[in-house]
Amino acid sequence: MRFPTFAAAAAVALALAPAAHATGFGSNLIANGNAETGNTTGWNTTSAFTVVQYGASGGFPFPADPGPSDRGTYFFAGGESNAKSTASQTIDLSALSAAINTGASRYDLSAWLGGYESQNDNATLTATFFGSGGAVLSSASLGPVSNSERGNQTGLLLRDTQGYIPVGALNVGITLTMTRNAGSYNDGYADNLSFAVATAPVPEADAYAMLLGGLAVLGVVAKRKQRKGQA
């Protein structure tokens, strides 16, 4: 009877061990990030922050203006007669703590941000990671998109950033800030806000330990078969 060689056993153990790689980014964790409820459900707002329909009268973006291809019906706007308005929400990350605390979990933050014609009203999206006791661990921001970046055209442009979630993060605060620089209406615009997480990979040390464990099991099995054959 033939028994597996060490090389063959190693190959089998490697095949059994999980691959050490990160999965793709998961679903968007921001509630009502595309404004398609037609209101600010899911957000805590200040000042006159609002939701507007594409093509609404008054010079707002039309469906054919620069913006997301899957823009839907509504987008976020700064609102009437205010210099600054905000919308915020908190995303609970505690269920992902085990993966986050490996130090290898990543996030993707993206949004379509813009404004009105040559006015420099704008929008900024910020994600702030909090740890135990509400301690701020790190943050990331998108925007603002200036009027020159838009070519002085009404519309929205895509902005995106990625990074690692800090170890110890328990939640992330998402804040959308609209700032007025001209006119009476705050024409900071935003749509399709997204925060997604990629789960952490299996650490190489763990994968190696599993490899050794698999080899040990195969070794025991081989010895038992050998003894049985000699009986």
Side-chain angles (χ1 to χ4, degrees), residues 189-200:
Y189 303 148
D191 201 359
N192 286 19
L193 316 179
S194 176
F195 176 87
V197 174
T199 56

Side-chain angles (χ1 to χ4, degrees), residues 52-146:
V52 178
Q53 185 171 343
Y54 280 101
S57 61
F60 291 107
F62 278 82
D65 286 333
S69 59
D70 58 344
R71 70 189 67 201
T73 303
Y74 301 97
F75 64 95
F76 297 111
E80 291 281 357
S81 305
N82 72 90
K84 181 175 291 186
S85 62
T86 65
S88 61
Q89 61 180 269
T90 299
I91 300 171
D92 184 4
L93 299 177
S94 59
L96 304 174
S97 290
I100 289 172
N101 290 335
T102 66
S105 289
R106 297 177 295 130
Y107 68 86
D108 180 87
L109 180 69
S110 64
W112 287 80
L113 308 173
Y116 173 72
E117 293 189 348
S118 61
Q119 294 182 3
N120 201 28
D121 296 5
N122 59 71
T124 302
L125 183 66
T126 302
T128 304
F129 295 95
F130 298 95
S132 178
V136 176
L137 303 180
S138 68
S139 65
S141 293
L142 299 174
V145 172
S146 68

Side-chain angles (χ1 to χ4, degrees), residues 10-39:
V12 173
L14 282 172
L16 294 175
H21 66 278
T23 64
F25 289 103
S27 59
N28 181 16
L29 299 181
I30 295 179
N32 190 26
N34 56 10
E36 287 309 299
T37 62
N39 52 44

Side-chain angles (χ1 to χ4, degrees), residues 4 11 16-17 21 27 30-31 42-44 62 67-68 90 107 109 115 143 148 151 159 164 175 185 206 216 223:
L16 294 175
H21 66 278
S27 59
I30 295 179
W43 296 91
N44 297 310
F62 278 82
T90 299
Y107 68 86
L109 180 69
S148 60
R159 293 293 182 264
Y164 285 93
T175 302
Y185 193 94
D206 290 350
K223 287 183 179 180

